[in-house]
Amino acid sequence: MPRGTLPRLSRHTPLVPLTLAFLLAGCQGLPGASSAAEPGRDPLAGAPPITRGLDAQGLAGLLQAEMAGQRSDYTRAAQGFIEAAERYDSVALAERATLAARFSEDPALLEEAAQRWQGLAPGSDAPSRLLASLALQRGDWAAALGHRLDVIEQGVNEQGAGEQEASNALLGLVETALDAGADPTPLLDRLRAHLARPAATNRIDAELATALLEAAAGQPAAAERRLMQVARQASERPELWRLRARLALQAEAPSAAREHARRGLEVSPGDPRLMLLLARAELAMGSVEAAEDAIETLLADHGDDASLRLGLARLFLEREHLAPARRLLLPLVGDDEAPPMAFLLLGAIAEERGEIGNALLYYRQVPEGEQFLPARVSAASMLMAADRRLDARAFLRLERLRHEAYESELASVEVELLDEAGLAEQAEALLDSELARRPDDERLRYQRAMRAFADGDLAAMEADLRHLIEHDPENATALNALGYTLADADIEGRLDEARALIERAHELAPDNPAILDSLGWVYYRQGEPARALPWLRRAWAAMPDQEIAAHLIEVLWALGEKAQARALLEEARERFEARPLIDELLRRQPELDAAGATTSP
């Protein structure tokens, strides 16, 4: 069987080899045993247990797993083969379990089977590649990189076919991880450890990925040194020049970026990513015409693709070059299947140019879907900014009639715009009117509750949240909002109630960082700062915002962790321009501010 392939699981898989193995294992004669058993006596009653080969239990398990597979019950089949693989330390059975788990559509079961397979066959790259793919799907970038490097390192020993494939994918994996906001430090540590291996092969790909991580980790000098070394060894690699151009742009060195992009295009003429980097460099240097030339070449060489045009238009819009962006977008909207984003961008361009009528026309053409609400918000905001409040409200009312599926969202938008314009009474009247028609509208009722909270009317807020919870007892957002408000207000005699509400919300949404923060905060309010700390740390790690930072600083200080509290305070000052809750904490506890720095107004 070729490496990396899995045995086919089908109803035609023969059972003869299993039966034969059982017969061979069972033909174990006992010294001095008679060929005929005494009547009424179990001939195997005194026999030692079978520890090798197939016994009755093992055979039964295998048969059940096989039959489950034939009935398309792949979950039970996989579980059966996993148990058999553990019982007999069989690589083949672990591989078979993995195949069955693939069809079960259960990622956890598939990972369990693949891990068993990898444990029994540590030198095989197939389970490592599968585990890497599973880690990528769940966004576990460190695990994905680790499994990818396992494939490469196994290839050193086995010269496996998957080694080069995994090595070539390193840079793409790292780019994807960083785009998703992954912490570069653990990835960088793992890659450096890989490069430190004396037998490491295909080092260029690993070096490129490491340089990218070094730049992301705030080590641009180290990244540049590494890339210069790679350039001396493998100047023919277009990835090298693409990465050098990209990092030069990030360092605001457009001239160097342009040079690197041109060097890359000498190696790989027409490479679209290098052409795009060249255009970005030209734009950064103010050479709009040169950028347009590069883009025209890119479109001519690689097809007039709608997604490419959209990306290029955004490139010009980033630098506020409206005319070239508009020229790129206009050919798209003549098509019956014009991308909604094209209308949205053209609307934004027209709005920026002061062409309100044209902008409104484009915004209205964005169909229902992902870009629908952003287009309507842009249109209504534009009309409000132009002092055309009545037109904005009429536009939103008409859109509610035309698009019933968005009725609640559009009413919520109108309320927000009225509030922003200082027309709170009109916003309140609209909310009351809409809720009178649709009293169970969760979005609008929650919005009214939050407006009441902002006005200091806790009774009105609680009434609306209670209505939401009664209508939907599993509304984690409403449970958490009410529980947190009661805890934060520290209302006498209601902390236990607040805690029960938040704990119920946590049961429903255990990974929600806002709820983790609420849970830590209510424990602190109840005088349990040590219990509060791990919850607040988890909340901060998942969603670093100024409110969670204020809570965590206060709890650290209460526990005597003054250095940590002050370090987090300084981090929050650097991270958040607006930090009202941290400033309020400093007014209550000025001793936190060791440096005596003034707080923001």
Side-chain angles (χ1 to χ4, degrees), residues 8 38 49 85 111 169 205 208 225 342 364 447 455 552 583 596:
R8 185 176 300 279
E38 297 178 14
E111 185 158 10
D205 302 283
L208 292 173
R225 286 194 301 271
R364 273 182 166 155
Q447 187 175 21
D455 292 339
L552 184 51
D583 293 341

Side-chain angles (χ1 to χ4, degrees), residues 31 99 136 180 323 398 420 454 456 504 511 580 593:
L99 175 65
L136 280 174
L398 181 60
E420 290 172 7
R504 175 58 181 151
D511 297 322
D593 193 0

Side-chain angles (χ1 to χ4, degrees), residues 85 294 562:
K562 297 184 178 182

Side-chain angles (χ1 to χ4, degrees), residues 28-307:
Q28 301 173 3
L30 294 174
S34 169
S35 60
E38 297 178 14
R41 180 175 180 271
D42 181 359
L44 298 179
I50 296 174
T51 58
R52 295 180 60 83
L54 282 168
D55 58 4
Q57 183 179 349
L59 177 62
L62 283 170
L63 289 173
Q64 289 171 1
E66 190 74 24
M67 294 300 293
Q70 293 184 14
R71 294 194 305 270
S72 299
D73 186 353
Y74 298 115
T75 298
R76 182 169 297 180
Q79 291 168 341
F81 285 127
I82 289 173
E83 292 174 4
E86 293 174 349
R87 184 181 180 90
Y88 297 111
D89 289 335
S90 169
V91 175
L93 288 174
E95 191 175 359
R96 196 167 186 76
T98 305
L99 175 65
R102 276 184 182 273
F103 290 99
S104 73
E105 298 183 1
D106 183 342
L109 181 62
L110 178 55
E111 185 158 10
E112 180 186 356
Q115 287 173 343
R116 171 57 53 185
W117 182 12
Q118 185 184 53
L120 291 170
S124 173
D125 66 355
S128 295
R129 282 187 289 160
L130 177 57
L131 287 168
S133 175
L134 292 171
L136 280 174
Q137 290 174 22
R138 65 173 184 272
D140 188 344
W141 307 109
L145 178 63
H147 290 307
R148 274 285 160 77
L149 291 175
D150 285 344
V151 174
I152 297 168
E153 291 165 4
Q154 288 158 2
V156 172
N157 298 323
E158 295 189 1
Q159 298 183 359
E163 174 196 352
Q164 183 64 49
E165 175 189 348
S167 184
N168 290 342
L170 284 179
L171 184 57
L173 187 154
V174 167
E175 288 177 327
T176 303
L178 292 176
D179 288 343
D183 181 358
T185 303
L187 306 180
L188 181 57
D189 291 343
R190 181 65 178 88
L191 267 171
R192 283 176 170 167
H194 168 73
L195 288 170
R197 290 165 54 95
T201 60
N202 292 322
R203 296 181 62 91
I204 298 302
D205 302 283
E207 295 278 8
L208 292 173
T210 304
L212 180 57
L213 287 169
E214 286 171 336
Q219 303 171 30
E224 182 59 24
R225 286 194 301 271
R226 192 178 297 276
L227 291 174
M228 289 176 66
Q229 183 178 355
V230 172
R232 289 192 291 269
Q233 300 172 2
S235 61
E236 77 286 354
R237 296 290 296 271
E239 301 96 328
L240 164 68
W241 303 109
R242 175 167 57 86
L243 185 53
R244 295 195 75 180
R246 174 178 170 179
L247 296 184
L249 282 169
Q250 290 176 2
E252 298 183 356
S255 179
R258 180 173 64 181
E259 180 60 27
H260 295 323
R262 286 174 173 173
R263 287 285 304 276
L265 287 167
E266 291 174 6
V267 172
S268 179
D271 184 304
R273 289 172 295 183
L274 285 165
M275 292 291 294
L276 188 55
L277 286 165
L278 178 60
R280 289 181 60 193
E282 297 285 9
L283 276 176
M285 296 177 68
S287 303
V288 179
E289 291 185 5
E292 285 196 87
D293 289 342
I295 283 171
E296 288 298 326
T297 301
L298 185 60
L299 289 171
D301 291 346
H302 296 278
D304 201 346
D305 180 75
S307 60

Side-chain angles (χ1 to χ4, degrees), residues 225-562:
R225 286 194 301 271
R226 192 178 297 276
L227 291 174
M228 289 176 66
Q229 183 178 355
V230 172
R232 289 192 291 269
Q233 300 172 2
S235 61
E236 77 286 354
R237 296 290 296 271
E239 301 96 328
L240 164 68
W241 303 109
R242 175 167 57 86
L243 185 53
R244 295 195 75 180
R246 174 178 170 179
L247 296 184
L249 282 169
Q250 290 176 2
E252 298 183 356
S255 179
R258 180 173 64 181
E259 180 60 27
H260 295 323
R262 286 174 173 173
R263 287 285 304 276
L265 287 167
E266 291 174 6
V267 172
S268 179
D271 184 304
R273 289 172 295 183
L274 285 165
M275 292 291 294
L276 188 55
L277 286 165
L278 178 60
R280 289 181 60 193
E282 297 285 9
L283 276 176
M285 296 177 68
S287 303
V288 179
E289 291 185 5
E292 285 196 87
D293 289 342
I295 283 171
E296 288 298 326
T297 301
L298 185 60
L299 289 171
D301 291 346
H302 296 278
D304 201 346
D305 180 75
S307 60
L308 181 58
R309 278 188 175 270
L310 286 170
L312 296 171
R314 283 199 186 96
L315 187 63
F316 281 105
L317 289 174
E318 287 173 6
R319 297 282 173 176
E320 299 183 0
H321 297 299
L322 304 183
R326 187 171 180 271
R327 285 195 291 270
L328 280 164
L329 292 168
L330 281 174
L332 296 177
V333 297
D335 194 328
D336 290 339
E337 298 189 10
M341 181 59 74
F343 290 113
L344 186 60
L345 293 178
L346 282 167
I349 292 169
E351 181 181 349
E352 185 67 21
R353 291 160 62 105
E355 302 170 359
I356 292 179
N358 282 338
L360 195 59
L361 178 64
Y362 285 126
Y363 286 141
R364 273 182 166 155
Q365 292 184 77
V366 176
E368 293 186 1
E370 185 179 357
Q371 308 303 331
F372 177 86
L373 275 177
R376 272 60 189 180
V377 170
S378 295
S381 300
M382 173 185 68
L383 292 170
M384 292 287 284
D387 200 23
R388 293 171 56 178
R389 175 172 51 86
L390 294 179
D391 289 341
R393 298 196 68 180
F395 166 74
L396 289 171
R397 282 196 296 273
L398 181 60
E399 292 299 285
R400 289 202 293 274
L401 292 172
R402 293 175 58 201
H403 304 278
E404 291 184 9
Y406 290 87
E407 188 175 7
S408 177
E409 289 93 334
L410 291 168
S412 177
V413 167
E414 187 173 348
V415 170
E416 290 182 13
L417 290 175
L418 290 169
D419 274 333
E420 290 172 7
L423 302 170
E425 291 185 3
Q426 294 184 34
E428 184 175 355
L430 175 60
L431 263 177
D432 291 343
S433 171
E434 292 295 319
L435 282 170
R437 294 195 308 110
R438 301 190 306 280
D440 295 328
D441 188 305
E442 292 188 4
R443 175 187 296 273
L444 296 179
R445 191 165 289 275
Y446 185 82
Q447 187 175 21
R448 190 169 73 173
M450 293 303 100
R451 292 181 80 257
F453 173 76
D455 292 339
D457 190 347
L458 297 188
M461 182 210 71
E462 183 172 354
D464 274 331
L465 292 179
R466 291 285 183 195
H467 181 99
L468 285 173
I469 294 167
E470 289 170 7
H471 182 254
D472 178 12
E474 296 190 351
N475 188 326
T477 301
L479 288 163
N480 179 62
L482 180 55
Y484 175 78
T485 302
L486 295 176
D488 194 53
D490 203 6
I491 299 174
E492 184 177 356
R494 302 197 69 180
L495 283 178
D496 288 342
E497 179 186 1
R499 176 170 165 173
L501 288 163
I502 296 168
E503 287 178 342
R504 175 58 181 151
H506 179 251
E507 290 175 5
L508 295 166
D511 297 322
N512 185 308
I515 296 173
L516 297 176
D517 173 60
S518 298
L519 200 54
W521 195 235
V522 75
Y523 290 150
Y524 175 67
R525 287 296 204 201
Q526 290 188 310
E528 300 182 71
R531 187 175 185 184
L533 184 59
W535 297 103
L536 293 173
R537 286 194 190 279
R538 283 182 58 192
W540 172 253
M543 187 179 70
D545 75 0
Q546 66 95 26
E547 184 172 12
I548 297 173
H551 294 161
L552 184 51
I553 291 167
E554 184 167 350
V555 170
L556 285 168
W557 189 263
L559 290 169
E561 301 290 348
K562 297 184 178 182

